[in-house]
Amino acid sequence: MVNLIKSNYMFGYIEGYYGKLLNWEERNKIVKKLKNLNMKYYFYAPKEDVFHRALWRKKYPDEWVKKFNIFTKFSHQNGIKLIAGVSPGLDFNYSSILNPNENTESQSNDFKKLIEKCFFFQKQGVKFITLLFDDIPASFSQNYKKYSEGATHALLANKLSSQLKKPVLVVPRVYADELAFDSPNYLNDFFDTLSYDIKVFYTGKNIVSKNVKSDLKIISSMLKNNRIVFWDNFHANDYCPKKIFLGTRSKYDLENGIMANLTGMPYTDMLILDIISISTNGKNSIKNIKEIFCKNKIPKKFFKIYPFFKNPVISKEKKTKKDKLDLSHINLISCLDYLLWKWKHPLSIEWYSHLINLKH
């Protein structure tokens, strides 16, 4: 059990990946896992939900609303706080934010739509709203040449927070150090404008990082002031769907919140949450990992090929020492054949394509 939770500390699960969309039963299972591990937050922001991102102005269908309402109540009953994301950045009209004195009905319509979507989520019992600007084209200056993109995104967050009468959370367009090189002024302008009570999601030096540390002075300052929540992509695989990562880290930064964006495979994600839990408590030895695998009914044969599934390659970071495989004593193909054809389990179904890919 995780027992290092602070009152202002966010620790939980992000449904924020590409290429997967959980159903309600799967979400309920993850909520139960979060409860068992004493993780308090579920962040709903799937990229494949068109009403969250591509068609953010449109209302959710009535049937979806009924199911989301049931999910919200179920989460509350299990002590899990819901965060809901809205991603208007692909085509938001910023004119009403930048020129409020020239505000027309057509200019202000987008902000009204954004408020309606956020009020909808609040009415359903969502605890926090997150405004997301991640993974949008860096084309702001083409339409708004006189203005700072970072400052404008912060202004929108401030105005939204004021209308909702509570702080929102924000994912800036520059959400990792490696994205700052092409937009060097974005984060400084963003934090100079952003209200102090608004927390920001950040992934660290890279989009996939081992921790939330940063080489940028502005982010280091925000970390010290507890204004950053770690959007953790360490186990995510939507950028490399033929692979899965089931390893641990030697250390988690517990000074700031950690929200884990995972795979969208529900049984795999529940296993990874177990792994994150023991890592957070410093119990990430091989023995502890074996215990987690045994608890999840993973055959011992899998541990022989486990080194292939441990960690992603982190760009611009030192390479970690690879596990040595004694190929003369371990018949890897035999192990894979057993896992592919004889192991029957929800995890074996989710991992079939990954195991067959490794065999090939």
Side-chain angles (χ1 to χ4, degrees):
M1 297 289 285
V2 177
N3 52 19
L4 297 172
I5 306 299
K6 300 177 182 179
S7 60
N8 60 349
Y9 178 85
M10 304 186 80
F11 192 30
Y13 178 85
I14 303 176
E15 187 183 346
Y17 28 75
Y18 292 91
K20 298 283 185 179
L21 194 60
L22 298 176
N23 61 41
W24 299 107
E25 182 182 355
E26 291 166 344
R27 293 184 181 113
N28 287 344
K29 288 179 179 178
I30 291 175
V31 163
K32 288 182 179 179
K33 172 61 73 171
L34 293 172
K35 178 184 179 181
N36 291 338
L37 296 175
N38 200 28
M39 300 179 185
K40 300 296 185 183
Y41 293 88
Y42 188 113
F43 184 178
Y44 179 86
K47 295 293 192 294
E48 307 307 331
D49 176 351
V50 295
F51 300 100
H52 148 71
R53 187 173 173 87
L55 303 178
W56 65 270
R57 295 179 184 84
K58 294 187 176 296
K59 294 181 179 180
Y60 281 98
D62 290 342
E63 185 63 25
W64 187 95
V65 174
K66 291 179 183 178
K67 292 178 180 178
F68 185 77
N69 185 260
I70 294 171
F71 175 64
T72 303
K73 292 178 179 177
F74 180 81
S75 299
H76 289 172
Q77 290 168 359
N78 284 275
I80 303 302
K81 300 175 182 178
L82 286 183
I83 307 169
V86 184
S87 301
L90 289 171
D91 56 4
F92 190 86
N93 185 340
Y94 296 99
S95 299
S96 62
I97 306 297
L98 298 171
N99 301 299
N101 294 330
E102 302 176 13
N103 193 11
T104 66
E105 185 175 348
S106 61
Q107 288 177 340
S108 63
N109 185 58
D110 269 7
F111 187 70
K112 288 180 180 178
K113 292 291 184 182
L114 180 60
I115 286 291
E116 286 175 5
K117 183 60 66 77
C118 294
F119 278 152
F120 158 75
F121 278 125
Q122 284 191 334
K123 186 178 179 180
Q124 301 303 310
V126 166
K127 183 70 175 177
F128 295 103
I129 301 295
T130 298
L131 186 62
L132 298 98
F133 298 106
D134 57 316
D135 301 345
I136 61 175
S139 57
F140 179 89
S141 60
Q142 297 175 14
N143 300 316
Y144 307 96
K145 296 181 180 180
K146 297 181 180 179
Y147 300 96
S148 160
E149 181 186 19
T152 303
H153 287 171
L155 280 171
L156 180 56
N158 293 345
K159 186 173 181 179
L160 182 61
S161 179
S162 176
Q163 289 289 316
L164 297 177
K165 294 183 169 47
K166 66 183 302 182
V168 296
L169 298 158
V170 185
V171 180
R173 183 177 67 77
V174 177
Y175 57 86
D177 289 9
E178 66 177 298
L179 299 175
F181 297 106
D182 294 329
S183 305
N185 299 318
Y186 179 97
L187 286 173
N188 283 310
D189 293 346
F190 178 79
F191 280 107
D192 283 347
T193 307
L194 192 69
S195 295
Y196 191 81
D197 57 352
I198 294 178
K199 287 183 178 288
V200 175
F201 284 100
Y202 201 74
T203 65
K205 294 180 182 180
N206 306 110
I207 295 171
V208 180
S209 300
K210 292 181 179 179
N211 52 51
V212 75
K213 290 181 180 179
S214 170
D215 290 332
L216 303 179
K217 289 183 179 179
I218 184 66
I219 296 298
S220 296
S221 174
M222 296 302 116
L223 283 167
K224 290 179 182 177
N225 293 321
N226 198 30
R227 295 183 66 187
I228 299 293
V229 179
F230 184 19
W231 179 299
D232 180 9
N233 283 324
F234 187 80
H235 293 97
N237 74 332
D238 52 1
Y239 64 97
C240 54
K242 290 185 177 181
K243 298 182 179 181
I244 50 175
F245 308 113
L246 305 171
T248 66
R249 277 171 281 198
S250 59
K251 183 180 179 181
Y252 271 82
D253 180 4
L254 293 174
E255 294 302 316
N256 297 276
I258 298 171
M259 294 291 294
N261 185 40
L262 301 183
T263 72
M265 295 181 286
Y267 288 93
T268 301
D269 285 354
M270 288 187 284
L271 169 67
I272 294 172
L273 288 172
D274 276 333
I275 293 170
I276 291 174
S277 178
I278 64 169
S279 300
T280 306
N281 284 291
K283 298 178 180 179
N284 53 350
S285 67
I286 295 297
K287 178 182 177 182
N288 297 132
I289 292 297
K290 286 183 176 180
E291 289 175 353
I292 290 292
F293 284 0
C294 180
K295 179 179 128 180
N296 284 273
K297 299 182 180 179
I298 299 171
K300 293 181 179 179
K301 288 181 182 293
F302 180 80
F303 210 83
K304 294 180 180 180
I305 61 168
Y306 177 55
F308 291 108
F309 294 89
K310 288 189 72 174
N311 300 324
V313 175
I314 307 296
S315 59
K316 298 181 181 179
E317 293 187 1
K318 292 181 180 179
K319 293 182 179 179
T320 56
K321 185 177 179 181
K322 293 184 178 180
D323 296 77
K324 292 182 179 180
L325 288 169
D326 187 350
L327 298 180
S328 63
H329 290 86
I330 300 176
N331 189 331
L332 298 181
I333 297 298
S334 175
C335 291
L336 283 166
D337 282 342
Y338 177 87
L339 294 165
L340 282 164
W341 316 125
K342 294 185 178 180
W343 178 37
K344 302 302 176 185
H345 186 271
L347 282 171
S348 71
I349 298 172
E350 291 184 353
W351 293 0
Y352 176 82
S353 62
H354 306 285
L355 294 170
I356 200 74
N357 179 62
L358 177 58
K359 181 179 179 179
H360 288 168

